[in-house]
Amino acid sequence: MKKPVVAIVGRPNVGKSTLVNRLVGTRSSIVDDLPGVTRDRIYFDVEWQNKQFTVIDTGGIIPDDEDEIMVSIFDQAKIACEEADKIIFLVDGKEGVNPVDYDIANILRQSGKPVFLAVNKSDNPESLLMVNDFYSLSMGDPIGISALHGSGGVGDLLDLVTENFERNLEQKEDNTIRIAIVGRPNAGKSSIVNSILNEKRVIVSDVSGTTRDSIDSYVKVNNRDFVIVDTAGIRKKSKVDWGVEKFAVDRAIRSIRDCDIALLVIDASQGISDQDKKIASIITEAGKGLIIAINKWDLIENKKSNTINQYDKKLANEIPFLEFAPKIYISAVTKQRLNNIFTEAEKVYSECTKRISTGLLNKVIKEAYMLNPPASSKGKRLKIMYVTQTGIKPPHIVIFANNADLMKDHYKRYVENKLREAFGFFGTPVKLSIRERSEKK
């Protein structure tokens, strides 16, 4: 059963993201004193009194502002209202009624949705006295709340909003694959999301850094559920400004840690950069599945039948440590090969969750050892007694040996390559652990 949806709307800096964080119970939305921090619509799951629903955090809107970004934010808020079953109209109790509040109220009345007027920052006697001023908006009884402190009528507001929501929604077993779309700014991540969903889901602009939050979108392909997570572009650490951008980059990196598979988007016209390699390292160190998407393939001129092969060879030379990752050549503009994202994601997810029997593992490693035994060090030689797999996502292989220090990095790479030759593990890192065990045991 689909969860009810509640949109939170209002003008900039009235505390929408603070209220979302209060409802979710974590600091999920970026909060800053700078107006316009939230630009897209962002979805969170909330539970109140055993009732579950989805809340949409929207950007602050100013209906008559003609600035390109503000127009896009307004469009996002309107889509959120269309999707929502109910709307929380948030206003600023300290500042009082603002002319923009009247404009927003008129728009919300036209939506035909139930609207609940919440007067935020009502955390002292003076501000509580101003709550009655908001009757002038003709949006029903205003409810004074304090999103920051959780005091006031936050509970009363939620009781009203969730009044006819059902309790204890049954949860199906979750086989959803979570794909984080990551990369440098302006590589086309948001355009890929919009093309996949066939809607203006996230703001697209030539100005880098337009996406600031990590944004979830749900899609079903071939009866398989996917969550597509659009993230902020990850620039070099030295170029990231402290504040909102830093939070956005931190959120993007956290999205990598929370995903099943990361889609690393590379601009075909610019090629792979040191920053792309750094992002790839973050993905592999987090143990996540990896697909490399070379976007803007439509901009490559004079393509021939072997152009992709030539590009593959170039990537193999520049990023040999990512040879295990599948590469797809796509265009968000023409939608060329976008469906390959889901085809490859299912394959990679299967590899991430693959389990190999202990007998097969020991056979492969024993043969690898006999073909190329490690060199001795100070008269001592590495001996491998036993191998087993202890985990998935990523596959975790534990090697029991006589001396962990004798397993050098180059021999670890050799063992990993032999494992990949035998079992694939295409698109996933392989975690190798060495544990010491005496030869007697």
Side-chain angles (χ1 to χ4, degrees):
M1 183 177 177
K2 183 177 178 293
K3 294 179 183 177
V5 178
V6 177
I8 300 178
V9 299
R11 58 189 176 82
N13 225 25
V14 296
K16 294 181 296 300
S17 294
T18 304
L19 177 58
V20 168
N21 290 338
R22 173 63 55 187
L23 301 184
V24 176
T26 60
R27 196 171 186 271
S28 298
S29 271
I30 297 175
V31 179
D32 196 281
D33 290 335
L34 179 69
V37 169
T38 302
R39 295 180 173 183
D40 302 291
R41 63 192 198 276
I42 311 164
Y43 296 70
F44 301 97
D45 289 329
V46 176
E47 183 170 343
W48 174 255
Q49 302 292 0
N50 213 21
K51 297 177 180 179
Q52 298 174 349
F53 61 99
T54 298
V55 65
I56 310 177
D57 187 16
T58 65
I61 59 175
I62 302 177
D64 296 326
D65 196 315
E66 296 181 358
D67 175 80
E68 179 186 356
I69 292 293
M70 292 306 296
V71 169
S72 296
I73 292 171
F74 186 35
D75 289 342
Q76 292 292 312
K78 286 195 290 186
I79 294 172
C81 291
E82 290 171 5
E83 293 181 356
D85 299 296
K86 297 183 180 182
I87 299 169
I88 296 175
F89 177 22
L90 199 66
V91 293
D92 189 327
K94 280 188 177 179
E95 187 176 319
V97 183
N98 185 291
V100 175
D101 293 331
Y102 288 103
D103 295 333
I104 297 173
N106 289 332
I107 293 170
L108 295 181
R109 268 191 289 271
Q110 295 171 15
S111 72
K113 304 289 178 69
V115 179
F116 300 85
L117 179 60
V119 184
N120 193 26
K121 306 178 186 178
S122 302
D123 43 16
N124 58 58
E126 292 78 14
S127 57
L128 282 169
L129 289 173
M130 297 183 68
V131 170
N132 289 336
D133 293 347
F134 288 89
Y135 274 106
S136 63
L137 296 176
S138 301
M139 299 296 292
D141 295 333
I143 305 166
I145 69 169
S146 173
L148 182 61
H149 301 109
S151 56
V154 173
D156 295 336
L157 173 66
L158 289 174
D159 285 341
L160 287 171
V161 171
T162 64
E163 186 175 8
N164 61 347
F165 290 175
E166 292 186 15
R167 297 180 185 272
N168 294 322
L169 288 174
E170 292 185 5
Q171 297 296 310
K172 295 181 180 179
E173 185 179 351
D174 189 10
N175 292 316
T176 303
I177 298 176
R178 191 173 183 85
I179 304 174
I181 301 184
V182 298
R184 290 181 291 151
N186 230 22
K189 300 181 295 298
S190 296
S191 296
I192 291 171
V193 174
N194 289 338
S195 293
I196 288 172
L197 300 177
N198 293 314
E199 63 165 303
K200 199 174 181 182
R201 174 65 180 81
V202 287
I203 296 171
V204 177
S205 171
D206 290 334
V207 180
S208 63
T210 307
T211 301
R212 292 186 171 184
D213 252 313
S214 297
I215 304 161
D216 292 4
S217 301
Y218 297 81
V219 62
K220 184 185 287 287
V221 179
N222 296 327
N223 293 319
R224 186 67 181 258
D225 291 322
F226 295 86
V227 177
I228 307 296
V229 186
D230 186 27
T231 66
I234 303 174
R235 295 198 295 165
K236 287 184 179 180
K237 195 172 182 179
S238 60
K239 295 184 178 180
V240 175
D241 296 329
W242 175 259
V244 172
E245 185 183 7
K246 183 181 185 302
F247 292 144
V249 170
D250 288 346
R251 191 70 41 74
I253 293 173
R254 192 184 309 165
S255 294
I256 291 174
R257 297 191 183 113
D258 291 342
C259 76
D260 297 306
I261 296 165
L263 185 81
L264 175 57
V265 181
I266 295 171
D267 188 329
S269 61
Q270 296 183 17
I272 194 160
S273 68
D274 289 340
Q275 182 62 7
D276 292 319
K277 297 175 186 176
K278 175 64 178 175
I279 298 169
S281 295
I282 294 171
I283 296 166
T284 54
E285 287 169 9
K288 303 301 178 179
L290 172 62
I291 301 169
I292 298 175
I294 297 89
N295 189 31
K296 307 183 184 180
W297 194 241
D298 55 304
L299 299 182
I300 302 300
E301 298 178 352
N302 302 318
K303 289 193 287 288
K304 300 177 182 178
S305 59
N306 65 339
T307 303
I308 287 180
N309 289 336
Q310 290 176 349
Y311 209 101
D312 275 341
K313 290 178 181 177
K314 181 182 177 184
L315 288 177
N317 289 329
E318 294 181 355
I319 48 173
F321 67 100
L322 296 180
E323 193 172 350
F324 69 88
K327 285 85 177 173
I328 55 176
Y329 294 81
I330 64 174
S331 168
V333 173
T334 66
K335 300 188 178 182
Q336 183 182 22
R337 302 189 189 93
L338 284 187
N339 279 339
N340 287 5
I341 293 173
F342 302 103
T343 304
E344 293 298 329
E346 285 203 86
K347 292 178 183 177
V348 170
Y349 187 79
S350 178
E351 296 293 302
C352 291
T353 55
K354 180 181 285 184
R355 290 187 180 274
I356 310 299
S357 70
T358 299
L360 272 176
L361 277 174
N362 281 274
K363 181 181 178 182
V364 168
I365 297 302
K366 183 179 179 180
E367 289 177 355
Y369 184 90
M370 293 177 67
L371 284 170
N372 182 20
S376 60
S377 175
K378 297 180 181 180
K380 295 181 179 180
R381 186 184 296 275
L382 174 74
K383 293 183 180 179
I384 296 175
M385 272 82 76
Y386 183 72
V387 184
T388 188
Q389 182 177 354
T390 60
I392 58 172
K393 296 200 307 187
H396 184 191
I397 311 298
V398 177
I399 299 175
F400 292 92
N402 60 329
N403 189 323
D405 294 334
L406 294 175
M407 176 71 88
K408 305 301 182 184
D409 288 342
H410 71 276
Y411 202 76
K412 262 190 176 183
R413 288 192 293 272
Y414 166 73
V415 170
E416 181 180 332
N417 288 336
K418 287 299 179 182
L419 288 170
R420 291 189 183 280
E421 286 177 16
F423 306 116
F425 294 131
F426 200 55
T428 178
V430 175
K431 183 180 178 181
L432 286 179
S433 297
I434 314 302
R435 295 182 187 171
E436 291 188 1
R437 173 176 287 186
S438 69
E439 295 182 54
K440 291 180 180 180
K441 290 184 179 179

